Every structure is written in structure tokens, then in C-alpha cells.
Amino acid sequence: MAAATATAPPDQSASAAQGINPWLIAAAVMLATFMEVLDTSIASVALPYIAGSLSASNDEATWVLTSYLVSNAIILPASNWFSLKFGRKRFLMACVAIFTVASFACGAAPTLGLLLLFRVVQGAGGGALQPLSQAILLESFPPAKRGAAMAVFALGVVVAPVLGPTLGGWLTDTYSWRYAFYINIPIGILALYMINTYIKDPSYIKNAKVPRFDNLGFGALVVWTGCLQVILDKGQEVDWFGAVWIRWAAFALALSFGIFLWQSIWGKDPLVNLRVFKDRNFAVGCLLIFMFGVSIYSTVTVLPLFYQELLGYTAFTAGLVVAPRGIGAICGMPIIGYLSNKVDPRYLLTFGFAVFGMTTYYFGSVTLGISPNTLFLPILITGFGLSFVFVPISTASYGTLKNEQIGNASGIFNLMRNVGGSIGISIATTLLARRADVHQNEILSSSPGYVAGQGGAGGAGIAQHGLQNALAGFFGQNNTLAPAQASLYQQLIRQATNWAFVDVFRWLSLLCVLCVCFVWLLKKVKPGKPPAGAH
């Protein structure tokens, strides 16, 4: 970012670590990241319980997620300016403290209104944790070990969303939804202690000349990120642009985003310096992390939904079934940490996206008759493949940047991943609803004599008469038509929805193929290479 006018030292790892074991620094910042990412996925599982406890509808309860994501997205790209202004260590500790206190307030909230207010505060505290943690890791490790450091960071980013549904389901089923927030308190306290003990600010941050706050850029950032998140979260519920307020929100989004782009590229001392996109590797890396966010967050959301909606699993059971993805990621991290210093990141990325694409394509063969163990191996392999994506993307994206550009770049990079995730989830849920309707019509059109639940001479009519005969002992021969038609319609909906899931998985597989093509737009970065400008 242009705000950092001080020159970074040649090997910034020595300045950032200041004699402290960098692995202790990695543990400290990874705790904060893990807590923030885990909270998002846990809260999504607890929504039905929150709605029931606070006398709210399910639609109203979804604002618990939306309010958090809006404030989180606003702070993410602005984190570099705040860290330069107040000191990165001080700002990081403040963010962890705000997040922890707000977590307690969320758990104790007596009404939905207060819960939403505290979620906004919690999102503001959590927004800076990922970019600050990533920047600290990159600067604390020597270039040859940065791949291993990013593997540790990836544990928080990749594994936490997988463990979240399982842990959240267990907490809400066993105790209360409030413990989905209370669990952050001990983690936050430990993270505060470790950050205070082991993290020091490098000299270029202490000596940085910080310009005035970019009010115009920040105001535009608040409007466009807020509008984008609300549109993505609520669009499907209100038929997208069929709602007048969505059209006005889209207009505000376009206008504010244009102002933000102008200020960030041509303005003096912008809050977020988008001129870093002149670096080809960083630009391509942001595109890849955006597409990675679309694919990983969509898969993490859609697969548990399949088990819950079609197979009747509880949130906890569905979480257990998809948990092998986390095991696969944990197994892959040590390997990628070793290979990242020896192999061209483009080959690692190609392998990771190819594996993820193949397993996602395999998910496209799901049926209503699968057992809990059917997808165990593909889910495990998916996690292993994901570990070969996140670390090499970071290595290739930051490898050609100067040291003093990393803080600004990290905020943009993490924002791209989060926006990609929000768009991916929104598109996936919309496709599930729309494609289910399409397949329902296709199934009906392929069943002669079956129109609007009326039996005929076709296969559906035979099935209906068979069901009536089977139900005669329960309802009486003259009362079986309605339950038979209801049962047939229920099966029709389940089959149509199953095909909608198949469509989403196969399209995600095609997205991974597209990612493989974009990987080779990256310039070659020598493994273990210092950042540009280091001597």
C-alpha cells in the first residue's frame, strides 16, 4: 500500500520475528484465524435453533450471518491502514479482544435485535484477523520456509469450515446454540496471550509515515461491500431483481464500486491501493483465489445440505460424514509444506485443482440410495487436494511483490476469497432451487398420463394404484388417493432435488477445469524465492 512509505529491510523475517521462534508466532496467529473462520460455519448450523429460541422466523435469523459478513467484508481490505496507524500488534490484539467480547455478548443476547448488533461488532473485530495473520506469517519466516508457514495458516482457513458444522451441530444438540459463541472465549484469551508474548512489529511498520484517512474510499467500500453481501444473501428469497429494493441496492453497489475503483487507482493516498494489480502474478492469483472461494465454499455448503435435506441426517451427523475432508487437508499440509520449497507452484496448483475437480465430478453421481460411507474416500481426497491449492496460490501471488506491499495485498487477497465464497454460496443455493423446478418439469413430462398428481395409464399411474393398494390397510380403500398422491409427489420432489445437486457438483467440476487453465497464466516463481526487493 502507498501508505507504507518506509523502506522494508532486505530480509524482513529477521525484523518481524526479532529472535522469537517463528513457529510460536505461527501458532499465535493461526489460533486467531481458526477462531474467526470456525465461528462463521458454526453459526450457520445454529440458525434454526436461534430462530426458535428468539421467536424469529428462519428468514429473520439469516441476518445473523448477513450482518456479520457485511461488517467483516468492510474491515478486511482496510486492515493494512489501521495496522500502520496503530501498530500491527496493537491492532491485532484489539481485534481479537473485540471479537472475543462480542462473542460473549452474542451468546448472552436476549433478543434478535441485540444479537444482530453484537454480530456486527463481532464481524468488525474478525475482519482483520485473516489478512494480519497472513502478513505476519509471511514476514516472520525466511523465504525458504514460507511454504510451510502458509501450510499452517491454511489449517485455519481450510480445516475450520469443515470442522464447524460437526462442532456446531454437537454443541447445539447437546447444550445450546449460545455455546456456538461461547466456545470462542477460551480460544480468544489464549490467542491474546500468545500474540502479546510472541509477536513484535517490524521496524518498517514502527517507522511508517501514515497518511490521512481516506474517507471517500472507506465510505464507498462500506456501501458496495454491504450492498453486495445483502444482495447475495437475500436475492434468492425475494426473486432477485424482481424486488424493487434489490434493484436499488444493485444501483448503489455499481455507483459506490465505481467511486471505490477510481479512488483506489487514481486517488491520492488511497485506503486500499489497487495499483498492486499491476503485478501479473498477484492479479492472476486473486482471480484464482476468487474461483477457489466459489468452489470450496459452495462444496462445503452444498454437500451437508444434500445429507440433511434428502437423506434426513441431523446437522451433527451430516458434519461427521463430511469431516474426512478436514482429515485429508491435515494429511496434505506437511507434504505441501515440504514440496512448496522444491516444486514450481504452478504444478502443485494444477494437481490440486485437478484432484478437486475429479472428486467434485464424482459427487455428481450421488443418488438417494447412498450410505454414509459411500463418499468417504472422495471426501477425504478432496481435503488432500485442497491443501495443494491454498499454499501454492499464496506463494505464487506474493512471490513477486515487495515486502512493504504484502500488508495491502493480503487484505485484497483475503477479500477476494471471501467475496468468491459469498458469490459461490449464493449461486449454489439459487441453482439448487431453480434446477429442482426444471428437473421436476422434466420428470413430469417423461411420465405419460401423470399430470398434476392424477394417475393414468403410464408408469406414474401404475405406481399410484400400487400405492393405493398398499395404503388400503391403513386408510381404507376409499381414502387412499390423497396419501398416495402425496407420497408420489414427495418422491418427485426428492428426485428432482437430487438432480439439482448433481448439476451443481458437475458445474463446480467444470470450474476447477477452468482454474487449471488460468494457473498457467502465472509467471514462474522460484521455490523459496525471497520477495521482490529483498537482497
Side-chain angles (χ1 to χ4, degrees), residues 172-186:
T172 50
D173 288 343
T174 308
Y175 299 102
S176 166
W177 63 266
R178 299 182 185 275
Y179 284 87
F181 298 106
Y182 290 152
I183 194 175
N184 294 326
I185 297 173

Side-chain angles (χ1 to χ4, degrees), residues 34-51:
F34 185 84
M35 172 181 68
E36 192 268 332
V37 178
L38 184 72
D39 180 81
T40 305
S41 53
I42 285 183
S44 63
V45 174
L47 285 184
Y49 301 87
I50 293 174

Side-chain angles (χ1 to χ4, degrees), residues 317-333:
T317 308
L320 283 179
V321 173
V322 300
R325 184 186 292 117
I327 299 173
I330 292 172
C331 293
M333 290 306 169

